[in-house]
Amino acid sequence: MRVVAGHDAAQAGFVSDDLAVEDGVPGELGEPGFGLGAGRPSQRRSVFVGTQLGEQLATGEGLLGFDLIAEAGVAGAGVALEHLNALVAVLQCCRAVTHITTAGDEPVQIGGVTVYRETDSRDLVQRAQQLIPAIPTAFDGDLPFIYAPPHALLVSTAAVPQGDAPYDAGRRASSTISRFLMLARLLHAGSHQSGWEITGASTFVAEIRPQPRAFNPVQLGSLLERVVRLSPDDAPAFAALSDFIDAVVIKRDGMAATSFGTALYRYNRAHEEGDNFERIVDLATALEAVLTDDDKGEGLSLRLKNRAAALLATTTDTGTSIFSDITKLYELRSRLVHGGSIQQKDLVKIITSVSAVPDGAMFGVALAFAVDRMRDLVRRSFLARLCLGSGTEPLWPFGKSTPVDAALADDATRGQWRHHWRDQLANLGAALAAEPARPGIDPITRRSDAQTHPQHSTEPRPR
C-alpha cells in the first residue's frame, strides 16, 4: 500500500510520508486530500479523496475513528498505517442477483444475509459502493450489466481480526450468500441467478483491494421466471432448514465424496452454470445421487422413476406425470451423455411433451420450462430424502442398506413415508416447500404453465 498526501497527492507516482494523524482535531474543508493504491509499482493506481474527505472531517466525525490531516512536509504516514493496521477490518460481500425482491421497502435480514431490493437501474451499484467505498477500482470501473428483474443486492459481512487472512474471510462471506441462495431454492423453488459479486473492505484504507467476480453472463435473462419475495417472516424457515441440513448424519470419514453432497452440488450448479442441456445432465446426476444412494445393478433408472413417483406424488402432480417426465428427460440426458445423435424434430418432441411446458411456447422457452420441471423434481426429492434420513429412527437412514422398493410397493408404507417427510417440513415451518413449485412465468409472453395446464396432466398433449 502507498499513501500519497498533501501537495504530493497530485503526483500519482510520488510516495511520500506526510500523512499526519491527530486525535480529536477536525479537518477543515478544502484541505488537500490523500490517495491510496495497491499492487506492483507498475500497476498502482491512486484513489484520491479530496472534498469528500474534507466534508467528513469538517463535521468532526473523522475517518476510521481518527481525524486525518494532510499537510505537506508533516511526517506521520507510518503512524497512520500503524493505527489503521491495528483495527479489526470489516469485509463486505455484495452480490447482485435476479428474481429476488422483498415484500416491503425495507431491507430484510435473514441469517447472515441482508437483502436490499432494487429501486432503479443504478441502485444496487450505489448501495454496494456505500458499503465498499473503493468499488470504482474494481471491474475496471464498469460493473457487469444484468437484466432479469426484479434484482436484489445480497450482503454478508465478515470481521477480519488482525493476523487473519482477509481473502479467507471474503470467501466465507461469499459462501454465506451461496448457502442463502441454496436455501431460497429449496424453500421457494426460485429461478434466481447470481449476476456479479464484489468483496472488499468497508473503509478506504484496507489490506486488500475489492475483489470482483462475474457469474455465467450468457445465461442471465432466463426464459423462465419465478420470483422470490422475502420478508422477516421467512427467517425462521431458513434457519430451521439450514440447521436440519447440518444435523444430517452422513458417514464422511475417508470419503472423497458422498451422494448427498453430490446431489446438492449438482442441483445448485444447475441454476448458476452451463447451458440448459448441461443442466439436464447435472440434474439427472443429482436425482440419481439423492434417490439411489449407492444402489447398483440392473433397472437403476426404473427404480429411480418409481421412487420419485411414489414419494413426490400429489393431487396436482400425479405419480404418472412424474414418472413420464423423468422418462423423457432421462432419454434426452442419455443421448447427450453417450454421444447419440438426435434430430431436431425429436428434440422438440421430447421437450414439448414435458408436462410443465406451456402449449405453443417457443423452443427456448419450452427448454427452460423443461429444465425447471427437472429442477423441481430434484428439489423435492432432496427434501424428501433429507427428511426420511433424519431423526432418531429414520425410515431411510443414510449409509445403511434399506429395502426401499419393497417398502414403497406397499400402499400403507408408501403413504406413511410420504406423510412423514411432509410432516417433517411442516414442523420446520416449511410445509409449502413439499408442494410442487408455483407456476413459472414466460417473461416474453407473461404466461405461466398454469394458464395452459391447470395441473400436471396424465394425458398426452397434441402438438
Side-chain angles (χ1 to χ4, degrees), residues 358 439-442 445-454:
I441 301 294
D442 171 358
T445 65
R446 307 307 300 172
R447 289 193 312 162
S448 71
D449 53 333
Q451 290 174 298
T452 53
H453 306 293

Side-chain angles (χ1 to χ4, degrees), residues 294-461:
D294 297 323
D295 291 354
K296 295 180 176 64
E298 296 293 328
L300 180 63
S301 62
L302 180 59
R303 294 202 304 275
L304 172 69
K305 289 179 280 188
N306 281 328
R307 291 177 183 184
L311 292 172
L312 307 183
T314 68
T315 55
T316 59
D317 191 7
T318 66
T320 302
S321 179
I322 293 170
F323 189 99
S324 175
D325 285 344
I326 294 177
T327 299
K328 294 164 186 171
L329 292 168
Y330 253 76
E331 177 186 353
L332 177 56
R333 176 257 190 188
S334 296
R335 296 199 188 188
L336 293 171
V337 170
H338 300 299
S341 59
I342 180 170
Q343 294 185 2
Q344 184 173 352
K345 64 177 183 179
D346 294 332
L347 175 61
V348 172
K349 182 179 179 180
I350 293 172
I351 294 300
T352 56
S353 63
V354 173
S355 64
V357 174
D359 284 333
M362 296 186 299
F363 177 75
V365 173
L367 179 58
F369 273 76
V371 170
D372 181 72
R373 170 63 165 161
M374 192 69 166
R375 275 198 294 239
D376 189 53
L377 293 173
V378 172
R379 179 186 70 86
R380 288 188 281 153
S381 295
F382 178 84
L383 291 172
R385 185 68 184 90
L386 174 67
C387 294
L388 291 169
S390 302
T392 55
E393 297 182 1
L395 297 177
W396 186 1
F398 291 99
K400 294 183 180 180
S401 178
T402 304
V404 177
D405 301 299
L408 294 178
D410 179 76
D411 290 343
T413 304
R414 182 171 61 252
Q416 178 193 3
W417 282 36
R418 193 182 293 167
H419 284 97
H420 177 82
W421 76 268
R422 292 173 175 276
D423 290 343
Q424 288 270 58
L425 286 178
N427 291 336
L428 297 178
L432 289 178
E435 299 300 320
R438 291 178 288 110
I441 301 294
D442 171 358
I444 298 175
T445 65
R446 307 307 300 172
R447 289 193 312 162
S448 71
D449 53 333
Q451 290 174 298
T452 53
H453 306 293
Q455 63 182 23
H456 293 280
S457 174
T458 59
E459 298 296 326
R461 292 183 282 133

Side-chain angles (χ1 to χ4, degrees), residues 100-108 115-120 123-124 127 150-153 229:
I100 287 183
T101 188
T102 58
D105 294 332
E106 295 300 316
V108 173
V115 184
Y116 297 90
R117 67 182 300 176
E118 182 182 60
T119 57
D120 61 56
D123 184 52
L124 302 188
R127 171 70 66 178
H151 306 135
L153 190 71
R229 288 178 172 81

Side-chain angles (χ1 to χ4, degrees), residues 122-342:
R122 298 295 297 173
D123 184 52
L124 302 188
V125 176
Q126 293 169 355
R127 171 70 66 178
Q129 190 168 351
Q130 291 174 0
L131 300 169
I132 306 173
I135 271 184
T137 65
F139 292 109
D140 292 324
D142 185 19
L143 289 175
F145 175 78
I146 61 173
Y147 185 77
H151 306 135
L153 190 71
L154 309 183
V155 179
S156 177
T157 303
V160 191
Q162 187 180 15
D164 282 11
Y167 293 101
D168 291 342
R171 283 189 285 269
R172 289 196 301 271
S174 180
S175 295
T176 298
I177 293 177
S178 295
R179 185 177 179 89
F180 171 89
L181 292 174
M182 175 197 74
L183 294 171
R185 289 171 184 135
L186 291 173
L187 290 169
H188 298 287
S191 58
H192 44 275
Q193 293 179 280
S194 300
W196 53 263
E197 176 184 281
I198 187 161
T199 303
S202 58
T203 59
F204 283 107
V205 181
E207 187 176 351
I208 63 171
R209 64 184 302 174
Q211 303 295 305
R213 177 185 179 189
F215 295 82
N216 200 13
V218 175
Q219 292 299 315
L220 286 174
S222 171
L223 294 177
L224 177 133
E225 176 185 313
R226 186 178 295 108
V227 175
V228 176
R229 288 178 172 81
L230 297 170
S231 74
D233 294 339
D234 290 292
F238 272 73
L241 181 58
S242 181
D243 292 342
F244 198 57
I245 292 174
D246 289 339
V248 171
V249 179
I250 299 177
K251 180 182 177 182
R252 291 186 172 89
D253 294 340
M255 302 292 289
T258 65
S259 58
F260 188 84
T262 297
L264 201 53
Y265 169 73
R266 295 277 187 164
Y267 171 72
N268 273 311
R269 193 169 79 165
H271 288 80
E272 298 281 14
E273 299 180 20
D275 61 28
N276 279 326
F277 293 112
E278 293 174 303
R279 290 172 178 176
I280 288 174
V281 175
D282 272 340
L283 291 166
T285 302
L287 196 61
E288 288 180 0
V290 76
L291 286 183
T292 63
D293 289 344
D294 297 323
D295 291 354
K296 295 180 176 64
E298 296 293 328
L300 180 63
S301 62
L302 180 59
R303 294 202 304 275
L304 172 69
K305 289 179 280 188
N306 281 328
R307 291 177 183 184
L311 292 172
L312 307 183
T314 68
T315 55
T316 59
D317 191 7
T318 66
T320 302
S321 179
I322 293 170
F323 189 99
S324 175
D325 285 344
I326 294 177
T327 299
K328 294 164 186 171
L329 292 168
Y330 253 76
E331 177 186 353
L332 177 56
R333 176 257 190 188
S334 296
R335 296 199 188 188
L336 293 171
V337 170
H338 300 299
S341 59
I342 180 170

